[in-house]
Structures are given as structure tokens and as C-alpha cells.
Amino acid sequence: MTKNNHTYFMNEALKEANKALLKNEVPVGAIVVIDGKIVSRAHNLREIKQDFSCHAEFLALQKAAKKIGSWRLEDASVYVTLEPCPMCAGAMIQSRVKNLYYGAKDPKTGAVESVIRLLDERFNHQIHYEGDILSLKSSNLLKSFFKKLRKKD
């Protein structure tokens, strides 16, 4: 994939993050790409659904599996605006995702490079990953959300 493709797909994930923002959810968005085509999109819905598992990447993986008719997403690339947490990184390992591309690092719960390096462990499946793709856009969106949330309190 070229840098332009990564930029395009991350901008699509950012569109999902903005949908979450409009719903007063933490603005994280994710897409799943197979053969250069977006097969699923999702954004955080934890507050609306009152379900801890409703992270953007988890929902996008579920939608992609349903769409292709298999839990094995061996040819899939996931683009997510924030470094995945342990639950979501684990879901990517379990679903056999090929590539992960993410925006901003998560210094509190990041499970790729920031807090733990789950994808570097010797599991039965290895995922290629790259971070810092449009990280400033992702980071600014998150910072403005939390700044606004703190002003309410």
C-alpha cells in the first residue's frame, strides 16, 4: 500500500470517529479493508449501547466477518484512529487480521506500542502494524472531545 492509500483510508476512519463525536462517544473510528475496498465501518458506541465491547475496531471486525461470511479476516487491513486496547488487539489476533494501521498512540491503554506490545508476542498469528498515520488529526479530535467533557463537569 502506498502512503496515499493509508491517508485515504485513515481519513475514512476519521469520518467514523466524527460520527462518534456527534453522539458524545469517545471519537474513535475504524474501517476494515480487503482487496483495496472498505468492507466495514464502525465507531465507538459504548455509551449508547452500554456495552464495554462496543469499541470501533471490535464492531468493524464483527461487521466484516458477517459480510464475508467467515471469522477469518486473513486478507484484512484495519485502520483505526487510536492505538487499539488489549481487547481490540486480541480480537485482531483472533480474527487473523493481516495489517493494522492506526493514528494516535494511546498512552493509557495502548496495546500495540504504548503500554504493552501485544502484537509483538509470539502468538499463532502475527499482524503487521504501523502507527502514527494522520496521528495529529486523530489526537486533536480526542483532545478536543476530552477538553469539552471536562468543561461540563
Side-chain angles (χ1 to χ4, degrees):
M1 289 241 178
T2 67
K3 182 74 170 165
N4 287 344
N5 285 346
H6 291 319
T7 300
Y8 171 77
F9 290 129
M10 191 59 73
N11 273 316
E12 291 300 306
L14 281 160
K15 288 179 185 176
E16 287 298 313
N18 278 300
K19 290 179 187 177
L21 182 67
L22 293 173
K23 296 174 181 176
N24 285 323
E25 293 277 356
V26 175
V28 176
I31 62 167
V32 177
V33 176
I34 299 175
D35 295 328
K37 294 182 173 69
I38 298 172
V39 296
S40 67
R41 302 168 175 268
H43 52 273
N44 275 0
L45 291 173
R46 284 194 317 174
E47 295 301 325
I48 288 171
K49 301 267 187 181
Q50 287 298 298
D51 183 337
F52 68 86
S53 69
C54 287
H55 287 201
E57 50 271 67
F58 205 87
L59 295 171
L61 290 169
Q62 288 178 322
K63 288 180 182 180
K66 187 173 182 178
K67 185 164 186 176
I68 71 165
S70 174
W71 62 269
R72 290 178 185 88
L73 300 173
E74 295 162 329
D75 296 320
S77 293
V78 175
Y79 288 81
V80 61
T81 58
L82 181 65
E83 179 182 2
C85 71
M87 176 182 71
C88 293
M92 288 181 212
I93 293 166
Q94 292 299 321
S95 61
R96 314 284 198 274
V97 164
K98 185 176 186 175
N99 300 299
L100 163 66
Y101 304 101
Y102 68 89
K105 289 190 176 180
D106 184 347
K108 293 185 178 180
T109 64
V112 179
E113 296 181 283
S114 295
V115 177
I116 59 172
R117 299 182 72 94
L118 194 61
L119 300 186
D120 289 343
E121 295 297 322
R122 297 186 47 84
F123 291 107
N124 64 319
H125 178 74
Q126 296 295 294
I127 298 171
H128 166 79
Y129 63 85
E130 291 178 40
D132 294 325
I133 299 170
L134 298 184
S135 59
L136 195 57
K137 281 186 177 182
S138 298
S139 181
N140 286 341
L141 189 61
L142 288 157
K143 285 177 184 174
S144 66
F145 171 78
F146 285 112
K147 188 175 182 180
K148 182 180 166 190
L149 195 63
R150 284 189 293 273
K151 283 184 180 178
K152 285 183 180 180
D153 292 340

